[in-house]
Amino acid sequence: MKEKYELSYNMLRKECDPNIFEYDTTENIPGSRELIGQKRAMEALKFGLSVKRKGYNIYVSGITGTGRNSYSYLVAKEFSQNKKTPKDWCYVFNFKRSNSPKAISLSPGMGKVFKKDVEKAINNIKIDISKVFLSKDYEDNKNIIYSQQQEKAEDVIKELNELAKGYGFVFKQTEKGILSIPLVEDRIMTDKEVQDLSEEEVEKLRESSNELSKKAFDYIKRIREIEKDLQNRITKLKEEKVLEVLVLHLNPLEEKFRENKEVEEYFSNIKEDIVKNFEMFLDDGEDNGIENILLPGNKKEDFFKRYEVNLFIDNKDLEGAPVIREMNPNYYNLLGKIEYVNELGGLKTDHTKIRPGSMHEANGGYLIVQAKDILQSKAAWEGLKRAISTEEIVIENITGLNVISETLRPEPIPLDIKVIIIGDYLTYHLLYQYDEEFKKLFKIRADFDIEMERNEENIKKIASFVAYQCKSEGLKPFDRTALAAIIDLSSRISESQNKLTARFNELVEILYEADAWATKRNKDIVTREDVDRAISNKIYRNNIYEEKILELIKDGTLLVDTEGYKVGEINGLAVVSIGQYAFGKPSKITVNTFLGKEGIVNIEREVEQSGNIYDKGVLILSGYLGEKFAKDTQLSITASIAFEQSYDGVDGDSASSTELYGLLSSLGDIPINQGIAVTGSVNQKGVIQPIGGVNEKIEGYYRVCNIKGFKGGEGVIIPHKNLEDLMLNDEVVNAVKNGKFKIYAVKNIDEGIEILTGLKAGTVDEEGTIHYMVKRKLEEYSELSKDSE
């Protein structure tokens, strides 16, 4: 009966024919980094990068290892080559608003030139301004001004002295200004003569002096105006000389950058400021005054900071647009910051301490960040969205500082950027659902698949990928057999005979390890033997937990029967995943049924050790029983189902068919073959549905049978829908080939129960069949229930 459901050994795996490859080794195969099997994702990525509209940023979704990181970068680099190299940016002092540094853009590579030219010009101006005031030309012009003003002052003093004679005084120009001195006999009184004056004479002299002062006021005012005019003319002369120096050094730079209006304005402002503050350029020697002792730093040095250029972004060595991968996207790494220095407990800054973030570096190009990284910082995420939305980057410090003596608000820089966020599926859906701005700013999703079709084209592309890895990483060439083994491994990872995995990182690990095993064997070429050794050794490194479980099963600590027949007992199969390794683990499932009205009791759920999907699977059993046996009879049973010796949580519905087999066995009092383990989910109609991890489950049970010793008849029942997922290892395939181990594929519960019991499933009205016996038992319970009532 069960032979018709038995699988032939050649159905258990799909092997790649080594002759599909044109060359003996990868040495002759052209290497390629082409992304394989991700046509949909690549089209979405390229479309998003080509749309020059606000909001068309990209979220790249997928799981780790599918190439989403490396290929997003490669595609962005490809697009960047066709874009113009973005401008350099410099921050300079704002001479009108000192707390708002100005941003100046320049052609690529000209930022460094601009900075160097300004520094050189300021240094030369410092030297030449000091020199110009020591020049003969300056001294001559200054002396002319002094002479002219002196003559004017002397003429006024002559007029003043004519007036003063009538009052017995004469005016003299001294260091303290113009003083009136009394006369006696047309000559200046001596100090002794002044002292010898009587009080009456002194009072008379004072009265004359006061009256003269009133009369002399206009003359004194004229002299002071002449002195003021002298100062103004000297200052003007100095400014003219300073301007000559500025013209000499800055006009060539203005001509050099004449196309740039921002630079032109900057040079104009520099000239005005230097002319206004030219005294700071003079070498006044040592200054040890109390002011400099109390004030921190060098006052003159701080002053000259205003003429420094902060080369903020330098794209001199860039070809095309930048592609920046920010690995630590916190707020300041993304959006830049203002640095401070501590001076006597106060924090001080200036425009030279403004630092760029990765968005500045990627401006004009592409920025790639990981979703898990940027979402760890709310400030960074909000700052990124704000910059994209406003299309400008504002630099501001968001953390509080204790004492700030100066603060800045740098001029924002216009933003032209494509942002690529790389994350998983769940993060995308959460952001799309709960972040309104996200759906407006990231309109393109590039979804990387985990698998591709197993066809000749893709097989050869993987061979080219292996060839590329061998050449770029210095690995030994892989021969045909090794490539075929890699293809088979790819299908095994994808859990399908007709698929290949897109998780290339797992393949690359095997490439490296196979190369290492070939080196150990002193071979120049990697063969299938090396690939198989790499796979088995990787399993060995990670399967210690599986070995421990097998030991417990072997010594009887974990109860798993692989022979005989028992009622209401059956071996279910589960998958245990521990990091890099997953394995199948059999568990004994027991079912007890008896008269009652509680229905099916899920012991796992009662003790809160089951997940929602497992609970659903158990509830489906009630639907099946009702459909099959209770259309004319009330169900009056209580059934308890338990995973024996299970001390962790249970989830998934792959054991639901197993539990139903146990339930039918218990109700019909029909023994089940303990040598056959079962996996598969069931629906309310009794149809067996596919499950995951089928290869691990089969191999896991095979290993249990192997350590307990084969008695004959051991095997596994799997869903028929999982046939194309079989990629079993050679040991299991050979065991099936030699008749040592059996694998059965079923489509419904009836087929499975026949294999397990050796009896016909039949119908509820067909005597001697399983369903007939179950129906009779349920009717018996129903009658007993009525009698008890």
Side-chain angles (χ1 to χ4, degrees):
M1 183 185 298
K2 60 186 177 183
E3 286 76 14
K4 60 182 178 180
Y5 305 117
E6 189 176 329
L7 300 182
S8 170
Y9 75 92
N10 55 17
M11 301 172 68
L12 305 183
R13 67 182 287 122
K14 185 176 183 179
E15 293 189 353
C16 177
D17 181 3
N19 293 319
I20 195 173
F21 305 108
E22 298 178 27
Y23 301 99
D24 292 334
T25 71
T26 54
E27 199 166 14
N28 298 317
I29 297 176
S32 172
R33 284 199 70 181
E34 176 190 355
L35 184 60
I36 311 166
Q38 301 288 1
K39 182 180 178 183
R40 186 194 307 271
M42 293 304 295
E43 286 181 354
L45 189 58
K46 290 181 177 179
F47 176 75
L49 293 176
S50 64
V51 177
K52 296 178 177 62
R53 295 284 180 182
K54 181 179 177 180
Y56 280 84
N57 298 290
I58 304 163
Y59 186 100
V60 177
S61 60
I63 64 173
T64 302
T66 53
R68 54 185 185 156
N69 283 292
S70 56
Y71 284 99
S72 295
Y73 179 76
L74 287 175
V75 173
K77 286 294 286 184
E78 178 186 327
F79 271 75
S80 72
Q81 301 306 311
N82 299 321
K83 292 190 73 174
K84 291 182 179 179
T85 303
K87 294 180 177 181
D88 291 349
W89 284 93
C90 295
Y91 269 111
V92 296
F93 185 76
N94 188 336
F95 295 98
K96 295 177 181 177
R97 293 178 58 198
S98 60
N99 68 331
S100 298
K102 293 187 69 66
I104 292 179
S105 62
L106 300 108
S107 301
M110 291 305 292
K112 185 172 285 187
V113 174
F114 175 65
K115 176 181 173 67
K116 187 176 179 181
D117 285 350
V118 171
E119 287 177 355
K120 184 178 179 181
I122 294 298
N123 286 332
N124 290 334
I125 288 168
K126 284 181 184 178
I127 296 169
D128 287 356
I129 285 179
S130 295
K131 285 181 178 179
V132 78
F133 294 134
L134 299 175
S135 67
K136 186 176 183 302
D137 181 57
Y138 171 73
E139 289 295 332
D140 290 344
N141 285 311
K142 185 175 72 170
N143 290 335
I144 291 172
I145 294 172
Y146 271 120
S147 297
Q148 291 174 347
Q149 297 302 102
Q150 186 67 27
E151 288 178 6
K152 291 180 180 179
E154 288 176 355
D155 289 342
V156 174
I157 290 173
K158 281 181 182 180
E159 294 179 28
L160 184 58
N161 281 331
E162 289 295 327
L163 174 67
K165 278 184 182 181
Y167 292 89
F169 283 89
V170 66
F171 282 91
K172 290 289 184 180
Q173 200 165 11
T174 68
E175 292 179 357
K176 296 180 180 180
I178 299 174
L179 298 178
S180 59
I181 303 172
L183 298 174
V184 59
E185 296 178 359
D186 293 333
R187 64 176 175 77
I188 295 173
M189 276 187 181
T190 65
D191 292 340
K192 187 174 184 312
E193 288 174 331
V194 171
Q195 292 174 1
D196 292 341
L197 291 175
S198 64
E199 289 185 11
E200 186 177 332
E201 289 173 327
V202 169
E203 182 61 31
K204 186 177 180 182
L205 194 62
R206 186 178 292 115
E207 289 176 0
S208 298
S209 176
N210 289 338
E211 193 170 338
L212 175 62
S213 295
K214 293 177 183 178
K215 299 284 186 181
F217 178 78
D218 290 338
Y219 294 94
I220 300 299
K221 184 179 177 182
R222 285 168 58 193
I223 292 172
R224 286 177 179 169
E225 287 176 353
I226 291 170
E227 290 174 349
K228 186 176 180 181
D229 186 48
L230 171 64
Q231 291 176 352
N232 291 338
R233 290 185 63 185
I234 295 297
T235 299
K236 187 177 180 181
L237 173 63
K238 289 180 178 180
E239 290 176 350
E240 288 174 355
K241 293 300 179 182
V242 168
L243 194 56
E244 289 177 8
V245 173
L246 298 180
V247 167
L248 176 65
H249 294 292
L250 295 182
N251 277 23
L253 298 186
E254 289 180 336
E255 180 63 24
K256 185 175 183 177
F257 296 94
R258 67 181 182 277
E259 301 296 329
N260 194 318
K261 299 299 181 184
E262 295 170 327
V263 174
E264 181 182 352
E265 181 184 353
Y266 175 65
F267 282 132
S268 176
N269 291 333
I270 278 187
K271 285 180 180 178
E272 290 179 15
D273 191 73
I274 293 178
V275 167
K276 190 189 302 180
N277 299 288
F278 68 86
E279 292 91 350
M280 298 296 291
F281 287 77
L282 301 178
D283 185 9
D284 50 6
E286 298 250 348
D287 188 354
N288 296 319
I290 189 67
E291 183 181 3
N292 277 354
I293 293 174
L294 295 177
L295 290 176
N298 187 311
K299 199 173 180 184
K300 185 170 283 193
E301 183 179 327
D302 289 345
F303 172 82
F304 280 104
K305 282 279 187 182
R306 66 177 62 197
Y307 303 119
E308 291 185 23
V309 173
N310 179 357
L311 180 54
F312 192 65
I313 292 296
D314 179 16
N315 290 320
K316 178 177 180 291
D317 300 321
L318 189 65
E319 294 182 6
V323 181
I324 303 297
R325 288 189 281 196
E326 178 53 65
M327 307 310 293
N328 182 24
N330 60 44
Y331 183 87
Y332 295 121
N333 285 353
L334 273 178
L335 297 161
K337 63 181 177 180
I338 303 168
E339 294 180 345
Y340 290 84
V341 294
N342 192 317
E343 286 190 358
L344 296 180
L347 296 175
K348 187 176 181 180
T349 189
D350 57 69
H351 69 281
T352 64
K353 293 180 175 59
I354 306 172
R355 301 290 178 255
S358 51
M359 292 194 77
H360 296 99
E361 294 170 355
N363 200 3
Y366 309 93
L367 175 67
I368 302 174
V369 295
Q370 300 294 319
K372 63 180 178 62
D373 295 329
I374 191 167
L375 292 175
Q376 289 180 5
S377 169
K378 185 177 186 298
W381 177 238
E382 295 299 329
L384 175 72
K385 291 189 296 181
R386 183 169 56 251
I388 296 172
S389 181
T390 60
E391 296 182 313
E392 66 178 21
I393 317 175
V394 178
I395 303 175
E396 56 185 348
N397 287 2
I398 58 173
T399 53
L401 299 171
N402 294 330
V403 181
I404 302 178
S405 49
E406 296 179 6
T407 186
L408 299 178
R409 293 188 63 85
E411 182 181 359
I413 289 178
L415 181 65
D416 174 22
I417 198 173
K418 282 280 185 182
V419 178
I420 301 172
I421 293 181
I422 298 174
D424 56 29
Y425 309 106
L426 178 60
T427 303
Y428 174 82
H429 290 298
L430 288 173
L431 288 171
Y432 196 87
Q433 186 72 26
Y434 296 107
D435 192 325
E436 288 294 327
E437 291 174 298
F438 174 78
K439 63 179 69 175
K440 295 176 184 177
L441 299 175
F442 291 86
K443 296 181 179 179
I444 299 295
R445 179 187 178 192
D447 193 7
F448 275 64
D449 201 352
I450 60 171
E451 60 187 18
M452 69 192 90
E453 293 297 321
R454 177 168 171 161
N455 53 40
E456 185 174 340
E457 179 185 359
N458 286 337
I459 288 173
K460 289 184 176 180
K461 284 182 177 179
I462 289 182
S464 294
F465 170 78
V466 174
Y468 172 82
Q469 290 293 327
C470 291
K471 291 164 187 174
S472 64
E473 300 295 332
L475 306 180
K476 293 177 174 60
F478 280 55
D479 72 1
R480 282 191 171 103
T481 63
L483 288 174
I486 293 295
I487 297 300
D488 292 343
L489 172 64
S490 181
S491 285
R492 165 75 183 218
I493 294 171
S494 68
E495 297 188 22
S496 174
Q497 295 179 359
N498 301 318
K499 300 287 185 181
L500 296 169
T501 185
R503 301 174 68 173
F504 290 102
N505 65 326
E506 296 193 29
L507 299 183
V508 169
E509 289 176 13
I510 297 300
L511 297 183
Y512 293 158
E513 294 180 27
D515 175 77
W517 285 111
T519 301
K520 278 193 171 186
R521 296 195 305 126
N522 295 319
K523 300 294 183 181
D524 295 327
I525 294 176
V526 180
T527 65
R528 186 182 191 100
E529 179 183 350
D530 300 307
V531 175
D532 290 342
R533 186 72 178 273
I535 296 170
S536 61
N537 194 263
K538 184 176 181 181
I539 292 173
Y540 175 74
R541 293 196 304 269
N542 293 280
N543 74 343
I544 186 170
Y545 182 57
E546 180 186 21
E547 295 290 346
K548 296 294 182 184
I549 290 177
L550 290 174
E551 288 177 12
L552 294 173
I553 292 174
K554 184 178 181 181
D555 64 24
T557 303
L558 287 179
L559 302 178
V560 177
D561 295 320
T562 59
E563 59 179 317
Y565 284 78
K566 292 184 178 180
V567 174
E569 295 186 26
I570 188 170
N571 292 324
L573 297 173
V575 173
V576 178
S577 181
I578 47 172
Q580 298 183 41
Y581 183 60
F583 64 93
K585 174 183 174 293
S587 296
K588 180 178 283 292
I589 298 174
T590 60
V591 183
N592 288 332
T593 55
F594 42 90
L595 178 61
K597 292 187 177 181
E598 295 182 21
I600 298 174
V601 177
N602 173 10
I603 293 178
E604 258 59 46
R605 183 178 63 184
E606 295 301 315
V607 297
E608 299 182 349
Q609 283 192 348
S610 64
N612 293 334
I613 299 176
Y614 176 78
D615 293 340
K616 177 184 175 183
V618 174
L619 292 173
I620 283 173
L621 304 186
S622 297
Y624 175 82
L625 291 180
E627 167 77 16
K628 196 78 176 177
F629 304 108
K631 288 186 175 179
D632 54 4
T633 303
Q634 181 179 354
L635 288 177
S636 300
I637 66 164
T638 296
S640 64
I641 300 175
F643 268 75
E644 302 296 349
Q645 294 181 294
S646 171
Y647 309 107
D648 298 319
V650 177
D651 203 4
D653 63 351
S654 65
S656 57
S657 68
T658 314
E659 292 163 339
L660 184 51
Y661 294 135
L663 185 61
L664 294 175
S665 168
S666 179
L667 285 170
D669 200 23
I670 304 166
I672 285 177
N673 185 350
Q674 300 299 293
I676 299 176
V678 180
T679 184
S681 72
V682 65
N683 66 18
Q684 294 188 103
K685 302 295 183 181
V687 176
I688 302 297
Q689 302 168 138
I691 43 80
V694 65
N695 295 298
E696 289 80 3
K697 291 175 179 178
I698 294 171
E699 292 168 359
Y701 188 65
Y702 170 83
R703 282 190 281 272
V704 169
C705 295
N706 194 36
I707 64 166
K708 292 180 75 71
F710 285 97
K711 305 297 190 298
E714 291 90 348
V716 173
I717 295 176
I718 65 170
H720 191 272
K721 293 287 186 181
N722 282 116
L723 281 181
E724 292 184 351
D725 301 336
L726 295 176
M727 286 296 295
L728 295 168
N729 62 33
D730 291 338
E731 187 177 1
V732 176
V733 173
N734 289 331
V736 172
K737 183 177 181 181
N738 297 327
K740 189 177 178 181
F741 192 71
K742 308 288 185 182
I743 299 176
Y744 307 95
V746 299
K747 297 178 181 178
N748 54 57
I749 286 293
D750 289 356
E751 295 174 355
I753 198 68
E754 289 180 355
I755 295 170
L756 289 167
T757 63
L759 298 177
K760 185 179 178 182
T763 66
V764 294
D765 299 319
E766 189 177 354
E767 286 191 34
T769 64
I770 294 172
H771 291 317
Y772 178 84
M773 288 186 276
V774 171
K775 176 70 172 177
R776 297 288 78 79
K777 176 65 73 173
L778 290 172
E779 287 176 345
E780 181 183 337
Y781 284 160
S782 179
E783 289 300 321
L784 289 171
S785 176
K786 290 177 182 177
D787 292 344
S788 65
E789 289 177 359

